[in-house]
C-alpha cells in the first residue's frame, strides 16, 4: 500500500469516530440541557405524562411495565388456598403480581373488591387504594390522612385514576427520591433501628419501594371532623414496633388481639399477610450487603451514550447483563439455574404447608360439627393462626425465595410445625367425639374447593360484570371530564382469571 493511501485511510478511520463522538456529545449536551432546565411540574402531579415531557426515557421505560401482562391464577395452581382463605376475599380470586402498569386495573377487576353500586357500598375500605396510585398522596394532601382513610373503596373510584407514577417516588422540584406515604416514616421511627431522618441516598433507592412492598394492616382510628361528626378511619399501619421478623409481627398482632377475619370453616381468628417484601429482603445476603431494590429492579442502562435508570420495573432476569453480571462472574445460565432451584425448594415446602393447613381447617370444622367446645378448640386454633400466618408471610413476600432463601425456608419450616401441632390437638378432640378416623375431603381443583366452602361464584362474577359496565364506567367518565388521568396508562386489554 502507498504511504499516502495509508495515511488517507488511517485518517478516515480516526476522523469518522471522532466526528460521531462530537455529534453525540453535542446531542447529549442538548439532552442534558433539557433535563437540567427547571421543569414545570406541579406538586404531586399524578399524571406521569406531565413528568414524561422532561424525562422521556424514564417515562417510556416506565410504560414498558405493560409488557408483563400475563395473568397467573394462583388459586388454580394450588386450590388448597381456597380452603385456607375461606370466608375472606382471597378465596374468590387471586393472581400473581404483574407489571406496575396494571396496578389499578387489577385492583378494580378482581372479585375481591366486589361490586359496589354507589360510593358507600362494597366490601373494601378506602385503604385498598393506598399502594396503587400517585392520586393517593394527592388526596391525602387535599383531604387529610384521616379523611382519606375513611369510608368505602368506592368513595374514591373517580379520583384514583393514575397507576403508580413519578409522583409516588420523586419530588417535583428537585427530582430527588421521596417517600410520599407518612405511615412508612412513622413505622421506621417506631421500629427504631433506622429512623427515617437518617436514610441515605442508597436507602432511598429501597424505601421508595417499601411504601408498598411491605406488611401492613388497617388500624382503626376514631376521629371527629370539623363539623363535629364522628368517624372511624382505617389507617394503613406497618406492624413493626417489635421488629421485622414473622414472629415479631405475629407477636405485635397477638398483643392487640388483631384479627383480619374469622375463618369460615375452622372459626380461627386469622391473620392475612400482605407482602412483607422488605422485611424478608433485609435478612438476605443482598440486603445485608446494602444492595437496594433499585440495584436489581431498576438497572442503569445506556441509550445513545446517555445513562439512565430503567423504569421498567420487573424481573431482573430480563436484563442480567445490567444487574447480576455487574457483580457476579457466573454465566447467565448458571445464575438462572441457581434461582430456579431456589424457587423449587420454596415451592416444595410451601405446598407441604398449604396441604397440612387445609386439612387442619377441615378437621377443625368437623370437630365443631361434632360439638367440640371453644375451650377445647382454642389451643388448636391458635396453632392454625400462627401456622398460616407464617406460611403466608413466607410466600406473600414475593421474590422472598431469592431475596432471602434461608429465612423463607425457616419460616415455612415453622409454619409446617405449627400446622402439625394443630392437627395433633385436633386428632385428640376428634377422638373424644368418636371420630378418630375422620378423613378430610381431598381438594382437587379451584372450582371444587370454591364449591366446598360455599362461594356463589356465578353470582360474584355476574355482579362484578354489572359493576364494570355501570359504576366503573361512570368513574371513567367523571375522571375524563375532570381531565385528571394520563390516557397512555389506561389503554389495556381486559384480562382477568374469571372472564371468558
Ligand atoms: C405505589 C405502590 C408501589 C410502589 C411504590 C412500588 N410497587 Fe411494585 N408493585 C406494587 C403492586 C400493587 C404490584 C402488583 C401489580 C399488579 O399485579 O397489578 C407491584 C408489582 C411489582 C413487581 C412485579 C412485576 C411483574 O412484572 O411481575 C415487582 C418486581 C415490583 N413491584 C417491584 C418494585 C420495586 C423494585 C419498587 C421500587 C423501585 C416498587 N415495586 C415500587 C406496588 C408498588
Ligand atoms: C417506584 C419508584 C419510582 C417511580 C414510580 C419513578 N421513579 Fe424515577 N427513579 C426511581 C429510582 C429508585 C431512581 C434512581 C435514583 C438514583 O439512584 O439516584 C430514579 C431515577 C430517576 C431519574 C434520575 C435519572 C436516572 O434515570 O437515574 C429521573 C429523571 C427519573 N427517575 C424520572 C422519573 C419519571 C419521569 C417517572 C415517571 C414516569 C419516574 N421517575 C417514576 C424511582 C422511581
Ligand atoms: C440482588 C438483586 C435483587 C434485589 C436487590 C432485589 N430483588 Fe426483587 N427479585 C430479584 C429476583 C432475581 C427475583 C425473581 C425474579 C424472577 O423469578 O423472575 C425478584 C423478585 C421480586 C418480586 C416478585 C416478582 C413477581 O412477579 O413475583 C418482587 C415484588 C420484588 N422482587 C421486589 C423487590 C423489592 C421491593 C426489593 C427491595 C426491598 C427487591 N426486590 C430487591 C432480585 C432482586
Ligand atoms: C451490586 C452487586 C450485586 C448485584 C447487582 C447482585 N449481587 Fe448477588 N451478591 C452480591 C454480594 C456482595 C453477595 C454476597 C457474596 C459473598 O458474601 O460472598 C451476593 C451473593 C449472591 C448469591 C449467593 C448467596 C445466595 O443467596 O445464594 C447469589 C446466588 C447471587 N448473589 C445471585 C445474584 C443474582 C441472580 C443477581 C441478579 C438478579 C445478583 N446476585 C445481583 C452482590 C451483587
Amino acid at each position: 500500500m502507498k504511504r499516502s493511501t495509508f495515511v488517507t485511510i488511517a485518517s478516515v478511520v480516526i476522523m469518522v469516530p471522532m466526528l460521531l463522538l462530537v455529534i453525540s456529545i453535542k446531542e447529549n449536551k442538548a439532552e442534558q440541557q433539557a433535563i437540567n432546565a427547571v421543569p414545570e411540574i406541579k406538586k404531586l402531579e399524578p399524571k406521569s405524562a406531565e413528568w414524561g415531557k422532561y424525562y422521556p426515557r424514564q417515562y417510556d421505560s416506565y410504560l414498558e411495565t405493560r409488557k408483563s401482562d400475563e395473568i397467573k391464577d394462583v388459586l388454580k395452581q394450588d386450590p388448597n388456598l381456597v380452603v385456607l382463605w375461606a370466608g375472606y376475599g382471597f378465596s374468590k380470586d387471586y393472581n400473581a403480581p404483574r407489571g406496575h402498569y396494571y396496578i389499578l386495573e387489577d385492583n378494580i377487576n378482581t372479585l375481591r373488591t366486589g361490586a359496589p353500586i354507589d360510593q358507600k357500598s362494597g366490601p373494601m375500605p378506602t385503604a385498598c387504594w393506598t399502594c396503587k396510585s400517585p392520586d393517593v398522596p394527592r388526596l391525602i394532601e387535599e383531604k387529610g390522612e384521616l379523611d382519606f382513610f375513611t369510608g368505602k373503596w368506592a368513595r374514591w373510584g373517580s379520583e384514583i385514576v393514575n397507576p403508580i407514577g413519578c409522583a409516588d417516588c420523586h419530588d417535583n422540584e428537585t427530582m430527588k427520591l421521596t417517600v410520599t406515604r407518612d405511615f412508612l416514616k412513622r413505622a421506621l421511627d417506631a421500629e427504631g433501628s433506622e429512623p427515617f431522618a437518617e436514610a441515605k441516598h442508597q436507602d432511598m433507592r429501597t424505601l421508595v419501594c417499601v411504601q408498598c412492598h411491605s406488611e401492613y394492616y388497617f388500624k382503626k382510628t376514631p376521629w371527629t371532623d370539623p363539623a363535629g361528626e364522628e368517624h372511624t378511619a382505617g389507617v394503613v399501619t406497618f406492624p413493626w414496633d417489635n421488629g421485622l421478623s414473622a414472629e415479631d409481627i405475629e407477636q405485635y398482632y397477638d398483643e392487640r388481639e388483631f384479627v383480619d377475619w374469622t375463618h369460615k370453616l375452622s372459626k380461627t381468628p386469622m391473620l392475612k399477610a400482605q407482602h412483607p417484601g422488605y422485611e424478608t429482603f433485609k435478612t438476605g445476603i443482598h440486603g445485608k450487603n446494602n444492595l437496594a431494590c433499585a440495584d436489581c429492579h431498576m438497572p442503569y442502562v445506556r441509550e445513545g451514550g446517555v445513562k439512565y435508570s430503567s423504569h421498567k420495573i420487573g424481573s431482573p432476569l430480563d436484563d442480567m447483563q445490567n444487574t447480576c453480571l455487574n457483580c457476579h462472574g457466573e454465566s447467565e445460565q448458571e445464575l438462572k439455574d441457581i434461582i430456579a432451584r431456589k424457587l423449587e425448594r420454596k415451592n416444595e415446602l410451601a405446598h407441604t404447608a398449604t396441604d397440612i393447613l387445609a386439612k387442619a381447617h377441615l378437621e377443625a370444622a368437623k370437630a365443631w360439627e361434632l360439638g367440640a367446645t371453644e375451650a377445647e378448640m382454642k389451643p388448636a386454633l391458635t396453632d392454625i393462626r400462627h401456622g398460616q400466618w407464617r406460611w403466608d408471610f413466607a410466600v406473600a413476600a414475593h421474590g422472598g425465595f431469592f431475596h432471602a432463601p434461608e429465612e423463607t425456608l425457616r419460616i415455612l419450616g415453622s409454619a409446617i410445625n405449627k400446622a402439625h401441632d394443630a392437627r395433633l390437638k385436633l386428632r385428640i378432640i376428634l377422638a373424644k367425639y368418636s371420630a378418630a378416623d375422620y378423613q378430610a375431603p381431598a381438594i382437587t381443583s379451584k372450582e371444587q374447593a370454591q364449591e366446598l366452602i360455599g362461594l356463589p361464584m356465578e353470582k360474584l362474577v355476574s355482579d362484578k360484570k354489572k359493576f364494570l359496565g355501570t359504576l366503573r364506567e361512570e368513574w371513567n367518565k367523571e375522571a375524563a371530564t375532570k381531565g385528571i388521568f394520563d390516557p397512555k396508562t389506561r389503554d389495556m386489554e381486559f384480562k382477568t382469571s374469571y372472564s371468558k
Side-chain angles (χ1 to χ4, degrees):
M1 195 190 290
K2 269 208 250 157
R3 206 177 153 214
S4 60
T5 322
F6 176 77
V7 169
T8 317
I9 293 173
S11 38
V12 168
V13 166
I14 295 167
M15 288 290 285
V16 170
M18 290 235 331
L19 208 69
L20 287 176
L21 187 67
V22 169
I23 294 171
S24 125
I25 288 173
K26 268 200 168 158
E27 268 182 5
N28 287 351
K29 254 200 169 156
E31 173 148 343
Q32 208 57 52
Q33 271 163 2
I35 288 173
N36 291 345
V38 181
E40 285 171 41
I41 303 171
K42 275 193 315 208
K43 188 173 180 204
L44 292 173
E45 170 61 64
K47 284 186 275 188
S48 290
E50 292 300 315
W51 304 64
K53 288 178 187 164
Y54 306 96
Y55 308 106
R57 288 189 163 83
Q58 287 82 3
Y59 179 62
D60 290 346
S61 57
Y62 152 86
L63 288 176
E64 284 200 26
T65 59
R66 69 182 299 158
K67 288 190 178 156
S68 170
D69 67 343
E70 207 190 323
I71 295 274
K72 283 182 226 140
D73 184 341
V74 182
L75 299 180
K76 207 170 197 161
Q77 281 169 8
D78 185 356
N80 284 319
L81 303 193
V82 173
V83 175
L84 265 47
W85 288 324
Y88 200 56
F90 277 83
S91 60
K92 301 174 189 166
D93 188 13
Y94 175 49
N95 303 323
R98 52 178 187 155
H100 278 165
Y101 185 78
Y102 300 99
I103 219 165
L104 276 184
E105 299 311 300
D106 288 346
N107 179 256
I108 291 167
N109 294 342
T110 176
L111 298 177
R112 295 203 301 280
T113 47
I117 47 169
D118 58 24
Q119 280 207 2
K120 294 194 166 153
S121 56
M124 294 298 177
T126 57
C128 280
W129 294 111
T130 311
C131 62
K132 307 289 181 293
S133 167
D135 290 306
V136 170
R138 173 180 69 80
L139 283 170
I140 289 178
E141 172 93 357
E142 282 171 26
K143 314 276 173 191
E145 200 182 40
L146 291 170
D147 192 7
F148 173 79
F149 283 123
T150 299
K152 293 286 188 184
W153 175 74
R155 181 177 169 207
W156 299 129
S158 65
E159 287 286 343
I160 296 184
V161 288
N162 293 285
I164 178 179
C166 323
D168 280 310
C169 304
H170 290 284
D171 179 88
N172 62 312
E173 284 176 0
T174 60
M175 280 312 277
K176 279 202 177 129
L177 294 178
T178 179
V179 163
T180 49
R181 273 103 171 138
D182 283 348
F183 50 78
L184 169 57
K185 299 180 188 170
R186 292 197 290 264
L188 289 167
D189 293 349
E191 196 271 326
S193 59
E194 288 177 81
F196 181 69
E198 287 166 25
K200 303 192 179 55
H201 181 67
Q202 178 67 357
D203 302 320
M204 289 301 287
R205 288 160 50 82
T206 290
L207 293 179
V208 287
C209 316
V210 181
Q211 306 189 84
C212 305
H213 289 274
S214 29
E215 167 63 17
Y216 63 82
Y217 73 113
F218 304 154
K219 187 176 177 176
K220 286 210 172 78
T221 313
W223 63 286
T224 312
D225 69 21
E229 211 179 311
E230 290 181 6
H231 306 274
T232 302
V235 179
V236 169
T237 304
F238 293 173
W240 292 353
D241 296 25
N242 300 337
L244 301 184
S245 73
E247 289 82 354
D248 291 337
I249 297 179
E250 180 184 282
Q251 188 197 359
Y252 175 100
Y253 286 137
D254 284 354
E255 283 164 1
R256 287 160 183 77
E257 294 181 10
F258 180 76
V259 174
D260 273 302
W261 91 102
T262 301
H263 197 274
K264 195 173 167 191
L265 306 173
S266 67
K267 301 190 191 157
T268 307
M270 300 297 298
L271 294 171
K272 174 78 192 76
Q274 311 303 336
H275 14 73
Y278 174 66
E279 292 87 335
T280 38
F281 173 74
K282 289 290 277 182
T283 70
I285 191 92
H286 292 106
K288 293 279 177 230
N289 277 283
N290 204 28
L291 263 76
C293 315
D295 287 324
C296 293
H297 290 280
M298 298 183 67
Y300 287 119
V301 291
R302 282 187 182 278
E303 201 176 280
V306 180
K307 192 172 150 198
Y308 67 101
S309 304
S310 166
H311 281 60
K312 185 188 175 204
I313 296 173
S315 173
L317 307 190
D318 295 345
D319 186 6
M320 294 177 79
Q321 197 58 46
N322 286 313
T323 56
C324 325
L325 300 184
N326 277 337
C327 302
H328 290 285
E330 288 94 337
S331 70
E332 285 201 10
Q333 198 50 51
E334 278 166 331
L335 286 173
K336 280 191 173 150
D337 291 345
I338 292 174
I339 295 171
R341 186 69 192 110
K342 285 183 194 294
L343 182 59
E344 278 170 9
R345 290 189 182 105
K346 189 262 320 197
N347 284 342
E348 189 182 323
L349 288 197
H351 285 146
T352 307
T354 60
D355 189 44
I356 311 174
L357 283 164
K359 290 198 169 85
H361 283 296
L362 292 161
E363 287 159 359
K366 185 71 186 174
W368 285 119
E369 192 191 305
L370 296 173
T373 66
E374 288 200 15
E376 280 170 335
M377 292 294 281
K378 196 162 188 248
L381 300 191
T382 303
D383 285 339
I384 295 183
R385 170 178 162 99
H386 291 161
Q388 185 158 328
W389 157 255
R390 292 174 191 199
W391 156 79
D392 206 356
F393 193 93
V395 297
H398 301 293
F401 76 91
F402 171 75
H403 298 147
E406 292 88 351
E407 183 66 358
T408 300
L409 299 181
R410 184 191 72 79
I411 303 172
L412 284 172
S414 85
I416 292 170
N417 198 24
K418 288 276 175 195
H420 273 314
D421 283 349
R423 291 189 70 196
L424 279 173
K425 290 174 186 154
L426 288 166
R427 196 49 59 179
I428 293 169
I429 301 171
L430 287 168
K432 186 175 164 194
Y433 290 90
S434 315
D437 57 354
Y438 172 71
Q439 288 288 327
I443 304 303
T444 53
S445 71
K446 173 183 169 182
E447 290 71 24
Q448 176 249 3
Q450 286 177 329
E451 207 178 311
L452 182 89
I453 66 163
L455 274 178
M457 290 312 294
E458 262 172 46
K459 179 162 166 39
L460 292 174
V461 172
S462 76
D463 287 354
K464 188 76 194 189
K465 287 188 171 161
K466 203 188 286 164
F467 153 78
L468 292 171
T470 52
L471 187 60
R472 162 61 166 153
E473 286 300 315
E474 283 169 37
W475 294 351
N476 280 346
K477 271 189 218 132
E478 259 177 67
T481 316
K482 286 187 268 188
I484 54 174
F485 69 85
D486 173 1
K488 268 208 177 164
T489 59
R490 302 315 287 277
D491 59 348
M492 65 270 299
E493 191 191 334
F494 180 77
K495 264 195 186 179
T496 60
S497 54
Y498 56 84
S499 76
K500 293 274 145 22

